[in-house]
Amino acid sequence: MSPPAENQGAILVAMGEWGLAWWCALIFTATPLLALVLWHCTDVFHRAAFTLNPAHRGRRLPPGHMGIPVLGESAAMMWYFKVARRPDGFVEAKRKAYGEGSNIYRTHLFGSPAVIVCSPAANKFVLQSTDSFAGRWPMPELLGLTSLPNIEGRQHTRLRGCIVAAVNQPEPLRTFARMVQPRVEAALRTWADKGTIIAVPEMKKVMFGNICKTFISLDPSPFTEKMEKLFVGLVDGIMAFPLNIPGTASHHGLMCRRKLNAVFREELERRRAKKTTAATLGDRQQEDGDLMSRLMETQDEQGKKLSDDEVVDSIGSLVMAAYESTATAAMWASYHLAKSPDILAKLREETAAVRRANNGASSFITYDDISKLKYTAKVVEEAIRVTNFAPMVHRVALKDVEYEGYTIPEGWRVIVWLRSVHTDAKYFKDPLSFNPDRGSWDEPAKPGTYRPFGGGYRACAGNMMARLQITIMLYHLSLGCEWKLLNPNARTVYFPTPRPEDNAPMAFSRLCTSM
């Protein structure tokens, strides 16, 4: 005999509620267990693979954790950089969990098992051990497969020598100083006429224009504005997780890189055709004399020139590195000076003295004047330190490497965490504050504690040009302009490069009639 219809409905409701409760209990119980399994399986797998290798008998991996499958600890790193906005928290959490020890930790970042090193001694060991570590960025195609960051041996030595000779020696630096100062002054006049500027894009526009003119003889135009947007996409891709599928920053960065390569290849072919025509006509004054021309003419000991791929890859990576880091540091220098009137006053006193020493004959300074700007140099170095435009550099272990009782396995990524040293109170008192008067700049930094341009044979080949650009910008800003932050309490965005959240709007005006 069936129960009444109303009882059947009640039974079905009760069964439905019981089933829902059962599924909820299963989900809430199974999900944490599954997460726990996933959290440990990657670490267990890599530790087992290491331990079972007979060559690793008696050896041990650095302390740490490999994170979840595929992503590793990339999500955790991005959380500290993008959400918590505490970029130092990622390494601090490891130190808290595993102890400072030798400041070497295992992890899984940028799609690869990796070791982080984050002390002056460990950083120096990796950067200078040329027989144990090679340059290897997460997605080499973004920087150019044959560009300076991705090549080794004699090929690297040849290309680096060409670049250093072209941009980091006194004569090209003198030429650079003469060339960019009229452009800087013109930009500052434009800013003053506007009255209000957004500092981040404006500073990038100036620095990008300087580099385009110096490296590839291009003046500002709608074409160079499009190029700059492509470089922005390229920078975003370099810092992202290396996943080449549509919709990801890495994929967009690769598309930007291919478009830039097409631009540079077209320019290379135009120059080659121009040279051929000039040679036919007997004209020997056809070379542009810029970095791209020098790269095209570079020869090794056997008289072999760089290939087209090498020239194109190199010029793209050099333009990106030269303008992005310099613009970021110069913007932060002006930002901190706006909040530090005492420091700005000392800077102005020094730059005014140099101008008076030149009898006011010109508003420009020469490369030889730079050595007189002692306090300005401190401001520049402090701005570079607090900016940390390159928080890390990438290497790969060419063989099993022993360090401080731990083994760095062959083929593992090695991430030299430069930022952690620049923001460590052991080396810089009150490290997150902007203070050019700190004693650190009155004497050479302790070995390994100040490496904004990397180190070893892969140290930035254009570091002096970067410093020169920032110095020139501060010289003309201090003598000719007044600026005030409209939102001095804006939060900082740290990814892909550090900047104020609102891009630093400023009230901007002329300080004197000399501009």
Side-chain angles (χ1 to χ4, degrees), residues 141-145 227 230-231 234 254-269 292 308-309 311-317:
E141 299 91 336
L142 288 170
L143 292 172
L145 292 175
M227 282 181 59
L230 292 174
F231 275 108
L234 181 57
L254 283 171
M255 296 301 101
C256 291
R257 178 77 208 205
R258 288 168 187 168
K259 291 178 181 178
L260 287 167
N261 282 355
V263 169
F264 293 131
R265 194 171 295 277
E266 183 179 343
E267 175 64 14
L268 185 150
E269 292 170 355
M292 189 170 191
D308 288 358
D309 286 343
V311 173
V312 168
D313 283 350
S314 296
I315 200 69
S317 63

PDB file of all heavy atoms in Angstrom, residues 141-145 227 230-231 234 254-269 292 308-309 311-317:
ATOM      1  N   GLU A 141      62.194  33.555 -26.463  1.00  0.00           N
ATOM      2  CA  GLU A 141      61.768  34.211 -27.694  1.00  0.00           C
ATOM      3  C   GLU A 141      61.384  35.671 -27.467  1.00  0.00           C
ATOM      4  O   GLU A 141      61.516  36.504 -28.366  1.00  0.00           O
ATOM      5  CB  GLU A 141      60.574  33.475 -28.306  1.00  0.00           C
ATOM      6  CG  GLU A 141      60.850  32.025 -28.681  1.00  0.00           C
ATOM      7  CD  GLU A 141      60.528  31.071 -27.540  1.00  0.00           C
ATOM      8  OE1 GLU A 141      60.535  31.518 -26.365  1.00  0.00           O
ATOM      9  OE2 GLU A 141      60.265  29.892 -27.813  1.00  0.00           O
ATOM     10  N   LEU A 142      60.921  35.987 -26.269  1.00  0.00           N
ATOM     11  CA  LEU A 142      60.517  37.368 -25.985  1.00  0.00           C
ATOM     12  C   LEU A 142      61.710  38.314 -26.019  1.00  0.00           C
ATOM     13  O   LEU A 142      61.583  39.478 -26.418  1.00  0.00           O
ATOM     14  CB  LEU A 142      59.820  37.449 -24.629  1.00  0.00           C
ATOM     15  CG  LEU A 142      58.416  36.843 -24.562  1.00  0.00           C
ATOM     16  CD1 LEU A 142      57.936  36.756 -23.122  1.00  0.00           C
ATOM     17  CD2 LEU A 142      57.439  37.672 -25.385  1.00  0.00           C
ATOM     18  N   LEU A 143      62.867  37.850 -25.589  1.00  0.00           N
ATOM     19  CA  LEU A 143      64.063  38.683 -25.596  1.00  0.00           C
ATOM     20  C   LEU A 143      64.849  38.555 -26.891  1.00  0.00           C
ATOM     21  O   LEU A 143      65.752  39.359 -27.157  1.00  0.00           O
ATOM     22  CB  LEU A 143      64.967  38.296 -24.420  1.00  0.00           C
ATOM     23  CG  LEU A 143      64.406  38.632 -23.029  1.00  0.00           C
ATOM     24  CD1 LEU A 143      65.285  38.021 -21.951  1.00  0.00           C
ATOM     25  CD2 LEU A 143      64.298  40.123 -22.830  1.00  0.00           C
ATOM     26  N   GLY A 144      64.502  37.559 -27.694  1.00  0.00           N
ATOM     27  CA  GLY A 144      65.245  37.310 -28.926  1.00  0.00           C
ATOM     28  C   GLY A 144      66.217  36.171 -28.724  1.00  0.00           C
ATOM     29  O   GLY A 144      67.099  36.238 -27.869  1.00  0.00           O
ATOM     30  N   LEU A 145      66.067  35.102 -29.487  1.00  0.00           N
ATOM     31  CA  LEU A 145      66.860  33.892 -29.277  1.00  0.00           C
ATOM     32  C   LEU A 145      68.358  34.137 -29.435  1.00  0.00           C
ATOM     33  O   LEU A 145      69.178  33.451 -28.821  1.00  0.00           O
ATOM     34  CB  LEU A 145      66.408  32.797 -30.238  1.00  0.00           C
ATOM     35  CG  LEU A 145      65.009  32.231 -29.985  1.00  0.00           C
ATOM     36  CD1 LEU A 145      64.625  31.239 -31.080  1.00  0.00           C
ATOM     37  CD2 LEU A 145      64.934  31.567 -28.617  1.00  0.00           C
ATOM     38  N   MET A 227      55.196  51.789 -31.818  1.00  0.00           N
ATOM     39  CA  MET A 227      56.290  50.935 -31.367  1.00  0.00           C
ATOM     40  C   MET A 227      56.339  50.868 -29.839  1.00  0.00           C
ATOM     41  O   MET A 227      56.537  49.805 -29.258  1.00  0.00           O
ATOM     42  CB  MET A 227      57.626  51.460 -31.894  1.00  0.00           C
ATOM     43  CG  MET A 227      57.909  51.133 -33.347  1.00  0.00           C
ATOM     44  SD  MET A 227      59.529  51.785 -33.874  1.00  0.00           S
ATOM     45  CE  MET A 227      60.635  50.968 -32.733  1.00  0.00           C
ATOM     46  N   LEU A 230      53.920  48.496 -28.452  1.00  0.00           N
ATOM     47  CA  LEU A 230      54.365  47.111 -28.626  1.00  0.00           C
ATOM     48  C   LEU A 230      55.387  46.726 -27.563  1.00  0.00           C
ATOM     49  O   LEU A 230      55.374  45.609 -27.048  1.00  0.00           O
ATOM     50  CB  LEU A 230      54.959  46.925 -30.026  1.00  0.00           C
ATOM     51  CG  LEU A 230      53.981  47.030 -31.201  1.00  0.00           C
ATOM     52  CD1 LEU A 230      54.724  46.964 -32.534  1.00  0.00           C
ATOM     53  CD2 LEU A 230      52.918  45.941 -31.136  1.00  0.00           C
ATOM     54  N   PHE A 231      56.257  47.655 -27.222  1.00  0.00           N
ATOM     55  CA  PHE A 231      57.241  47.368 -26.175  1.00  0.00           C
ATOM     56  C   PHE A 231      56.570  47.202 -24.812  1.00  0.00           C
ATOM     57  O   PHE A 231      57.027  46.405 -23.991  1.00  0.00           O
ATOM     58  CB  PHE A 231      58.305  48.465 -26.121  1.00  0.00           C
ATOM     59  CG  PHE A 231      59.425  48.254 -27.098  1.00  0.00           C
ATOM     60  CD1 PHE A 231      59.552  49.061 -28.221  1.00  0.00           C
ATOM     61  CD2 PHE A 231      60.353  47.244 -26.899  1.00  0.00           C
ATOM     62  CE1 PHE A 231      60.583  48.872 -29.130  1.00  0.00           C
ATOM     63  CE2 PHE A 231      61.384  47.038 -27.805  1.00  0.00           C
ATOM     64  CZ  PHE A 231      61.507  47.849 -28.916  1.00  0.00           C
ATOM     65  N   LEU A 234      55.429  43.771 -24.712  1.00  0.00           N
ATOM     66  CA  LEU A 234      56.581  42.880 -24.596  1.00  0.00           C
ATOM     67  C   LEU A 234      57.046  42.771 -23.143  1.00  0.00           C
ATOM     68  O   LEU A 234      57.314  41.675 -22.637  1.00  0.00           O
ATOM     69  CB  LEU A 234      57.705  43.392 -25.485  1.00  0.00           C
ATOM     70  CG  LEU A 234      59.001  42.586 -25.532  1.00  0.00           C
ATOM     71  CD1 LEU A 234      58.731  41.153 -25.955  1.00  0.00           C
ATOM     72  CD2 LEU A 234      59.995  43.241 -26.477  1.00  0.00           C
ATOM     73  N   LEU A 254      54.583  37.786 -27.226  1.00  0.00           N
ATOM     74  CA  LEU A 254      55.179  37.183 -28.411  1.00  0.00           C
ATOM     75  C   LEU A 254      54.667  37.841 -29.695  1.00  0.00           C
ATOM     76  O   LEU A 254      55.431  38.059 -30.643  1.00  0.00           O
ATOM     77  CB  LEU A 254      54.884  35.686 -28.443  1.00  0.00           C
ATOM     78  CG  LEU A 254      55.727  34.811 -27.515  1.00  0.00           C
ATOM     79  CD1 LEU A 254      55.179  33.387 -27.501  1.00  0.00           C
ATOM     80  CD2 LEU A 254      57.196  34.808 -27.933  1.00  0.00           C
ATOM     81  N   MET A 255      53.377  38.165 -29.712  1.00  0.00           N
ATOM     82  CA  MET A 255      52.831  38.853 -30.882  1.00  0.00           C
ATOM     83  C   MET A 255      53.478  40.227 -31.059  1.00  0.00           C
ATOM     84  O   MET A 255      53.805  40.644 -32.178  1.00  0.00           O
ATOM     85  CB  MET A 255      51.307  39.010 -30.731  1.00  0.00           C
ATOM     86  CG  MET A 255      50.539  37.691 -30.704  1.00  0.00           C
ATOM     87  SD  MET A 255      50.777  36.671 -32.205  1.00  0.00           S
ATOM     88  CE  MET A 255      51.969  35.466 -31.590  1.00  0.00           C
ATOM     89  N   CYS A 256      53.682  40.926 -29.928  1.00  0.00           N
ATOM     90  CA  CYS A 256      54.338  42.232 -29.984  1.00  0.00           C
ATOM     91  C   CYS A 256      55.768  42.083 -30.476  1.00  0.00           C
ATOM     92  O   CYS A 256      56.252  42.890 -31.284  1.00  0.00           O
ATOM     93  CB  CYS A 256      54.319  42.891 -28.607  1.00  0.00           C
ATOM     94  SG  CYS A 256      52.676  43.411 -28.049  1.00  0.00           S
ATOM     95  N   ARG A 257      56.458  41.046 -29.983  1.00  0.00           N
ATOM     96  CA  ARG A 257      57.848  40.840 -30.386  1.00  0.00           C
ATOM     97  C   ARG A 257      57.947  40.577 -31.886  1.00  0.00           C
ATOM     98  O   ARG A 257      58.846  41.105 -32.572  1.00  0.00           O
ATOM     99  CB  ARG A 257      58.433  39.657 -29.612  1.00  0.00           C
ATOM    100  CG  ARG A 257      59.871  39.338 -29.989  1.00  0.00           C
ATOM    101  CD  ARG A 257      60.832  40.335 -29.363  1.00  0.00           C
ATOM    102  NE  ARG A 257      62.041  40.508 -30.138  1.00  0.00           N
ATOM    103  CZ  ARG A 257      63.205  40.905 -29.634  1.00  0.00           C
ATOM    104  NH1 ARG A 257      63.311  41.149 -28.349  1.00  0.00           N
ATOM    105  NH2 ARG A 257      64.252  41.068 -30.400  1.00  0.00           N
ATOM    106  N   ARG A 258      57.028  39.776 -32.418  1.00  0.00           N
ATOM    107  CA  ARG A 258      57.074  39.475 -33.847  1.00  0.00           C
ATOM    108  C   ARG A 258      56.832  40.720 -34.691  1.00  0.00           C
ATOM    109  O   ARG A 258      57.469  40.919 -35.733  1.00  0.00           O
ATOM    110  CB  ARG A 258      56.049  38.387 -34.164  1.00  0.00           C
ATOM    111  CG  ARG A 258      56.466  37.016 -33.630  1.00  0.00           C
ATOM    112  CD  ARG A 258      55.356  36.002 -33.688  1.00  0.00           C
ATOM    113  NE  ARG A 258      55.748  34.765 -33.010  1.00  0.00           N
ATOM    114  CZ  ARG A 258      54.914  33.776 -32.706  1.00  0.00           C
ATOM    115  NH1 ARG A 258      53.626  33.879 -33.026  1.00  0.00           N
ATOM    116  NH2 ARG A 258      55.374  32.696 -32.089  1.00  0.00           N
ATOM    117  N   LYS A 259      55.938  41.577 -34.245  1.00  0.00           N
ATOM    118  CA  LYS A 259      55.679  42.823 -34.978  1.00  0.00           C
ATOM    119  C   LYS A 259      56.889  43.739 -34.925  1.00  0.00           C
ATOM    120  O   LYS A 259      57.248  44.376 -35.921  1.00  0.00           O
ATOM    121  CB  LYS A 259      54.450  43.519 -34.400  1.00  0.00           C
ATOM    122  CG  LYS A 259      53.138  42.779 -34.667  1.00  0.00           C
ATOM    123  CD  LYS A 259      51.960  43.490 -34.018  1.00  0.00           C
ATOM    124  CE  LYS A 259      50.666  42.717 -34.268  1.00  0.00           C
ATOM    125  NZ  LYS A 259      49.494  43.359 -33.606  1.00  0.00           N
ATOM    126  N   LEU A 260      57.540  43.806 -33.751  1.00  0.00           N
ATOM    127  CA  LEU A 260      58.746  44.630 -33.637  1.00  0.00           C
ATOM    128  C   LEU A 260      59.870  44.060 -34.493  1.00  0.00           C
ATOM    129  O   LEU A 260      60.607  44.820 -35.141  1.00  0.00           O
ATOM    130  CB  LEU A 260      59.183  44.700 -32.173  1.00  0.00           C
ATOM    131  CG  LEU A 260      58.307  45.567 -31.265  1.00  0.00           C
ATOM    132  CD1 LEU A 260      58.629  45.304 -29.798  1.00  0.00           C
ATOM    133  CD2 LEU A 260      58.494  47.047 -31.585  1.00  0.00           C
ATOM    134  N   ASN A 261      60.002  42.757 -34.517  1.00  0.00           N
ATOM    135  CA  ASN A 261      61.030  42.138 -35.360  1.00  0.00           C
ATOM    136  C   ASN A 261      60.815  42.495 -36.824  1.00  0.00           C
ATOM    137  O   ASN A 261      61.773  42.757 -37.570  1.00  0.00           O
ATOM    138  CB  ASN A 261      61.014  40.623 -35.199  1.00  0.00           C
ATOM    139  CG  ASN A 261      61.690  40.169 -33.909  1.00  0.00           C
ATOM    140  OD1 ASN A 261      62.247  40.975 -33.174  1.00  0.00           O
ATOM    141  ND2 ASN A 261      61.626  38.876 -33.638  1.00  0.00           N
ATOM    142  N   ALA A 262      59.550  42.517 -37.241  1.00  0.00           N
ATOM    143  CA  ALA A 262      59.250  42.869 -38.633  1.00  0.00           C
ATOM    144  C   ALA A 262      59.654  44.311 -38.923  1.00  0.00           C
ATOM    145  O   ALA A 262      60.200  44.619 -39.994  1.00  0.00           O
ATOM    146  CB  ALA A 262      57.751  42.673 -38.910  1.00  0.00           C
ATOM    147  N   VAL A 263      59.416  45.193 -37.956  1.00  0.00           N
ATOM    148  CA  VAL A 263      59.801  46.598 -38.112  1.00  0.00           C
ATOM    149  C   VAL A 263      61.313  46.734 -38.245  1.00  0.00           C
ATOM    150  O   VAL A 263      61.828  47.406 -39.149  1.00  0.00           O
ATOM    151  CB  VAL A 263      59.300  47.431 -36.909  1.00  0.00           C
ATOM    152  CG1 VAL A 263      59.922  48.830 -36.919  1.00  0.00           C
ATOM    153  CG2 VAL A 263      57.785  47.532 -36.926  1.00  0.00           C
ATOM    154  N   PHE A 264      62.043  46.062 -37.346  1.00  0.00           N
ATOM    155  CA  PHE A 264      63.504  46.182 -37.361  1.00  0.00           C
ATOM    156  C   PHE A 264      64.119  45.494 -38.586  1.00  0.00           C
ATOM    157  O   PHE A 264      65.129  45.951 -39.114  1.00  0.00           O
ATOM    158  CB  PHE A 264      64.092  45.608 -36.076  1.00  0.00           C
ATOM    159  CG  PHE A 264      63.744  46.404 -34.847  1.00  0.00           C
ATOM    160  CD1 PHE A 264      63.242  45.789 -33.703  1.00  0.00           C
ATOM    161  CD2 PHE A 264      63.885  47.785 -34.839  1.00  0.00           C
ATOM    162  CE1 PHE A 264      62.920  46.527 -32.585  1.00  0.00           C
ATOM    163  CE2 PHE A 264      63.555  48.534 -33.723  1.00  0.00           C
ATOM    164  CZ  PHE A 264      63.071  47.900 -32.591  1.00  0.00           C
ATOM    165  N   ARG A 265      63.503  44.410 -39.015  1.00  0.00           N
ATOM    166  CA  ARG A 265      64.021  43.732 -40.206  1.00  0.00           C
ATOM    167  C   ARG A 265      63.829  44.615 -41.447  1.00  0.00           C
ATOM    168  O   ARG A 265      64.714  44.690 -42.310  1.00  0.00           O
ATOM    169  CB  ARG A 265      63.320  42.389 -40.392  1.00  0.00           C
ATOM    170  CG  ARG A 265      64.015  41.463 -41.382  1.00  0.00           C
ATOM    171  CD  ARG A 265      63.394  40.073 -41.342  1.00  0.00           C
ATOM    172  NE  ARG A 265      63.610  39.426 -40.066  1.00  0.00           N
ATOM    173  CZ  ARG A 265      64.722  38.780 -39.733  1.00  0.00           C
ATOM    174  NH1 ARG A 265      65.724  38.706 -40.604  1.00  0.00           N
ATOM    175  NH2 ARG A 265      64.848  38.207 -38.544  1.00  0.00           N
ATOM    176  N   GLU A 266      62.707  45.286 -41.516  1.00  0.00           N
ATOM    177  CA  GLU A 266      62.461  46.201 -42.634  1.00  0.00           C
ATOM    178  C   GLU A 266      63.473  47.351 -42.615  1.00  0.00           C
ATOM    179  O   GLU A 266      63.990  47.760 -43.657  1.00  0.00           O
ATOM    180  CB  GLU A 266      61.040  46.745 -42.558  1.00  0.00           C
ATOM    181  CG  GLU A 266      60.667  47.656 -43.714  1.00  0.00           C
ATOM    182  CD  GLU A 266      59.229  48.145 -43.617  1.00  0.00           C
ATOM    183  OE1 GLU A 266      58.438  47.538 -42.862  1.00  0.00           O
ATOM    184  OE2 GLU A 266      58.905  49.135 -44.305  1.00  0.00           O
ATOM    185  N   GLU A 267      63.761  47.863 -41.415  1.00  0.00           N
ATOM    186  CA  GLU A 267      64.743  48.941 -41.294  1.00  0.00           C
ATOM    187  C   GLU A 267      66.138  48.445 -41.690  1.00  0.00           C
ATOM    188  O   GLU A 267      66.903  49.159 -42.347  1.00  0.00           O
ATOM    189  CB  GLU A 267      64.761  49.465 -39.855  1.00  0.00           C
ATOM    190  CG  GLU A 267      65.820  50.498 -39.547  1.00  0.00           C
ATOM    191  CD  GLU A 267      65.668  51.799 -40.314  1.00  0.00           C
ATOM    192  OE1 GLU A 267      64.591  52.023 -40.915  1.00  0.00           O
ATOM    193  OE2 GLU A 267      66.627  52.590 -40.331  1.00  0.00           O
ATOM    194  N   LEU A 268      66.464  47.229 -41.296  1.00  0.00           N
ATOM    195  CA  LEU A 268      67.766  46.653 -41.656  1.00  0.00           C
ATOM    196  C   LEU A 268      67.897  46.550 -43.169  1.00  0.00           C
ATOM    197  O   LEU A 268      68.932  46.913 -43.744  1.00  0.00           O
ATOM    198  CB  LEU A 268      67.902  45.283 -40.992  1.00  0.00           C
ATOM    199  CG  LEU A 268      69.249  44.534 -41.127  1.00  0.00           C
ATOM    200  CD1 LEU A 268      69.484  43.658 -39.906  1.00  0.00           C
ATOM    201  CD2 LEU A 268      69.236  43.642 -42.385  1.00  0.00           C
ATOM    202  N   GLU A 269      66.870  46.063 -43.814  1.00  0.00           N
ATOM    203  CA  GLU A 269      66.911  45.916 -45.268  1.00  0.00           C
ATOM    204  C   GLU A 269      66.979  47.274 -45.954  1.00  0.00           C
ATOM    205  O   GLU A 269      67.652  47.436 -46.984  1.00  0.00           O
ATOM    206  CB  GLU A 269      65.699  45.119 -45.736  1.00  0.00           C
ATOM    207  CG  GLU A 269      65.741  43.655 -45.291  1.00  0.00           C
ATOM    208  CD  GLU A 269      64.434  42.918 -45.552  1.00  0.00           C
ATOM    209  OE1 GLU A 269      63.474  43.588 -45.983  1.00  0.00           O
ATOM    210  OE2 GLU A 269      64.393  41.695 -45.320  1.00  0.00           O
ATOM    211  N   MET A 292      72.319  50.531 -34.268  1.00  0.00           N
ATOM    212  CA  MET A 292      71.920  49.519 -35.240  1.00  0.00           C
ATOM    213  C   MET A 292      72.967  49.402 -36.352  1.00  0.00           C
ATOM    214  O   MET A 292      73.325  48.298 -36.779  1.00  0.00           O
ATOM    215  CB  MET A 292      70.556  49.846 -35.828  1.00  0.00           C
ATOM    216  CG  MET A 292      69.982  48.736 -36.670  1.00  0.00           C
ATOM    217  SD  MET A 292      68.247  49.031 -37.104  1.00  0.00           S
ATOM    218  CE  MET A 292      67.798  47.423 -37.777  1.00  0.00           C
ATOM    219  N   ASP A 308      71.406  38.619 -39.722  1.00  0.00           N
ATOM    220  CA  ASP A 308      70.242  39.501 -39.622  1.00  0.00           C
ATOM    221  C   ASP A 308      69.451  39.207 -38.349  1.00  0.00           C
ATOM    222  O   ASP A 308      68.955  40.127 -37.683  1.00  0.00           O
ATOM    223  CB  ASP A 308      69.338  39.324 -40.842  1.00  0.00           C
ATOM    224  CG  ASP A 308      69.947  39.927 -42.108  1.00  0.00           C
ATOM    225  OD1 ASP A 308      71.055  40.514 -42.007  1.00  0.00           O
ATOM    226  OD2 ASP A 308      69.328  39.806 -43.179  1.00  0.00           O
ATOM    227  N   ASP A 309      69.314  37.914 -38.020  1.00  0.00           N
ATOM    228  CA  ASP A 309      68.587  37.549 -36.810  1.00  0.00           C
ATOM    229  C   ASP A 309      69.259  38.130 -35.566  1.00  0.00           C
ATOM    230  O   ASP A 309      68.589  38.624 -34.644  1.00  0.00           O
ATOM    231  CB  ASP A 309      68.489  36.026 -36.673  1.00  0.00           C
ATOM    232  CG  ASP A 309      67.486  35.420 -37.634  1.00  0.00           C
ATOM    233  OD1 ASP A 309      66.653  36.174 -38.172  1.00  0.00           O
ATOM    234  OD2 ASP A 309      67.545  34.192 -37.852  1.00  0.00           O
ATOM    235  N   VAL A 311      71.151  40.830 -35.342  1.00  0.00           N
ATOM    236  CA  VAL A 311      70.958  42.285 -35.301  1.00  0.00           C
ATOM    237  C   VAL A 311      69.538  42.626 -34.852  1.00  0.00           C
ATOM    238  O   VAL A 311      69.330  43.455 -33.961  1.00  0.00           O
ATOM    239  CB  VAL A 311      71.240  42.915 -36.679  1.00  0.00           C
ATOM    240  CG1 VAL A 311      70.880  44.399 -36.667  1.00  0.00           C
ATOM    241  CG2 VAL A 311      72.702  42.726 -37.063  1.00  0.00           C
ATOM    242  N   VAL A 312      68.562  41.954 -35.443  1.00  0.00           N
ATOM    243  CA  VAL A 312      67.162  42.237 -35.125  1.00  0.00           C
ATOM    244  C   VAL A 312      66.848  41.880 -33.670  1.00  0.00           C
ATOM    245  O   VAL A 312      66.215  42.655 -32.936  1.00  0.00           O
ATOM    246  CB  VAL A 312      66.227  41.475 -36.089  1.00  0.00           C
ATOM    247  CG1 VAL A 312      64.779  41.524 -35.605  1.00  0.00           C
ATOM    248  CG2 VAL A 312      66.331  42.065 -37.489  1.00  0.00           C
ATOM    249  N   ASP A 313      67.266  40.695 -33.236  1.00  0.00           N
ATOM    250  CA  ASP A 313      67.020  40.291 -31.853  1.00  0.00           C
ATOM    251  C   ASP A 313      67.685  41.244 -30.867  1.00  0.00           C
ATOM    252  O   ASP A 313      67.106  41.613 -29.842  1.00  0.00           O
ATOM    253  CB  ASP A 313      67.552  38.872 -31.618  1.00  0.00           C
ATOM    254  CG  ASP A 313      66.640  37.804 -32.194  1.00  0.00           C
ATOM    255  OD1 ASP A 313      65.512  38.140 -32.599  1.00  0.00           O
ATOM    256  OD2 ASP A 313      67.055  36.630 -32.234  1.00  0.00           O
ATOM    257  N   SER A 314      68.909  41.641 -31.177  1.00  0.00           N
ATOM    258  CA  SER A 314      69.675  42.481 -30.255  1.00  0.00           C
ATOM    259  C   SER A 314      69.087  43.871 -30.139  1.00  0.00           C
ATOM    260  O   SER A 314      68.939  44.402 -29.031  1.00  0.00           O
ATOM    261  CB  SER A 314      71.136  42.563 -30.711  1.00  0.00           C
ATOM    262  OG  SER A 314      71.746  41.294 -30.648  1.00  0.00           O
ATOM    263  N   ILE A 315      68.742  44.485 -31.245  1.00  0.00           N
ATOM    264  CA  ILE A 315      68.253  45.863 -31.177  1.00  0.00           C
ATOM    265  C   ILE A 315      66.918  45.919 -30.444  1.00  0.00           C
ATOM    266  O   ILE A 315      66.644  46.852 -29.679  1.00  0.00           O
ATOM    267  CB  ILE A 315      68.157  46.492 -32.595  1.00  0.00           C
ATOM    268  CG1 ILE A 315      68.140  48.023 -32.499  1.00  0.00           C
ATOM    269  CG2 ILE A 315      66.946  45.995 -33.360  1.00  0.00           C
ATOM    270  CD1 ILE A 315      69.434  48.624 -32.041  1.00  0.00           C
ATOM    271  N   GLY A 316      66.083  44.902 -30.622  1.00  0.00           N
ATOM    272  CA  GLY A 316      64.802  44.880 -29.910  1.00  0.00           C
ATOM    273  C   GLY A 316      64.976  44.777 -28.411  1.00  0.00           C
ATOM    274  O   GLY A 316      64.358  45.513 -27.637  1.00  0.00           O
ATOM    275  N   SER A 317      65.834  43.851 -27.959  1.00  0.00           N
ATOM    276  CA  SER A 317      66.036  43.675 -26.524  1.00  0.00           C
ATOM    277  C   SER A 317      66.749  44.874 -25.917  1.00  0.00           C
ATOM    278  O   SER A 317      66.476  45.266 -24.771  1.00  0.00           O
ATOM    279  CB  SER A 317      66.828  42.391 -26.251  1.00  0.00           C
ATOM    280  OG  SER A 317      68.108  42.452 -26.818  1.00  0.00           O
TER     281      SER A 317
END
